[in-house]
Amino acid sequence: MLLMVGHILLEIFLRSFLYSSTYVLDEFVGYGTAAMTFLALPRAAITNNLIRVSLIETVVQRSRPRKILDLFTTAATFAICGGLTYYIGLSAMRNFSRGRVSETIAEVPLWIPEAVVLVGLAAFLLLLAVRFVALVTNGQIRLK
């Protein structure tokens, strides 16, 4: 976040006083936003800061159906994020092997931002797997 703010301030200075630019502000801010989002995903899940739709959960009062619902939603989230992780991993490997770079003046290798997203998703998948096991073992494994 500090690097993005610094880059924005540098860009404002360059454009206002020197009539120049870094020409990569939007690209780097995009990479920074993706990195912050996906690397913070596991921590946000651990601290219960992710948005959860609990409408159905509040209707289900008994613990057994609620646990089954929680198991289902955890497994569904794992499946969706697992598919996303797989395809981002394929894309990162393909971009690495082909040597693809961004189409800007910076020519950033595309596998680098994809690898950062991949690390965040892999950590989130690990967390989901631990959560699923904790639900199956009646909470004998703690996430905190």
Side-chain angles (χ1 to χ4, degrees):
M1 179 68 96
L2 291 176
L3 290 175
M4 289 190 318
V5 170
H7 194 167
I8 291 168
L9 292 174
L10 173 66
E11 193 72 25
I12 291 170
F13 174 78
L14 288 174
R15 289 183 186 190
S16 298
F17 299 109
L18 303 178
Y19 305 104
S20 184
S21 176
T22 61
Y23 302 108
V24 293
L25 175 69
D26 53 342
E27 178 184 14
F28 286 0
V29 167
Y31 295 153
T33 302
M36 286 189 314
T37 301
F38 286 95
L39 292 176
L41 190 58
R43 179 70 179 159
I46 287 173
T47 58
N48 289 325
N49 287 325
L50 291 178
I51 297 171
R52 288 186 58 172
V53 179
S54 59
L55 179 65
I56 298 173
E57 202 172 76
T58 57
V59 173
V60 179
Q61 297 297 322
R62 291 182 287 162
S63 64
R64 183 151 174 85
R66 194 176 205 153
K67 181 178 177 180
I68 292 170
L69 180 65
D70 208 7
L71 282 168
F72 172 76
T73 56
T74 302
T77 304
F78 185 88
I80 292 168
C81 288
L84 183 62
T85 303
Y86 174 75
Y87 285 108
I88 289 176
L90 280 180
S91 178
M93 289 188 298
R94 188 180 317 118
N95 287 330
F96 178 77
S97 67
R98 293 179 182 172
R100 293 205 49 207
V101 295
S102 64
E103 296 179 7
T104 62
I105 196 169
E107 293 186 345
V108 174
L110 291 177
W111 67 268
I112 294 173
E114 288 180 335
V116 172
V117 169
L118 193 62
V119 167
L121 280 171
F124 185 59
L125 282 176
L126 179 62
L127 177 78
L128 287 172
V130 169
R131 177 177 170 77
F132 189 84
V133 170
L135 286 168
V136 169
T137 60
N138 294 321
Q140 294 173 352
I141 297 175
R142 301 264 183 227
L143 296 179
K144 275 189 174 179

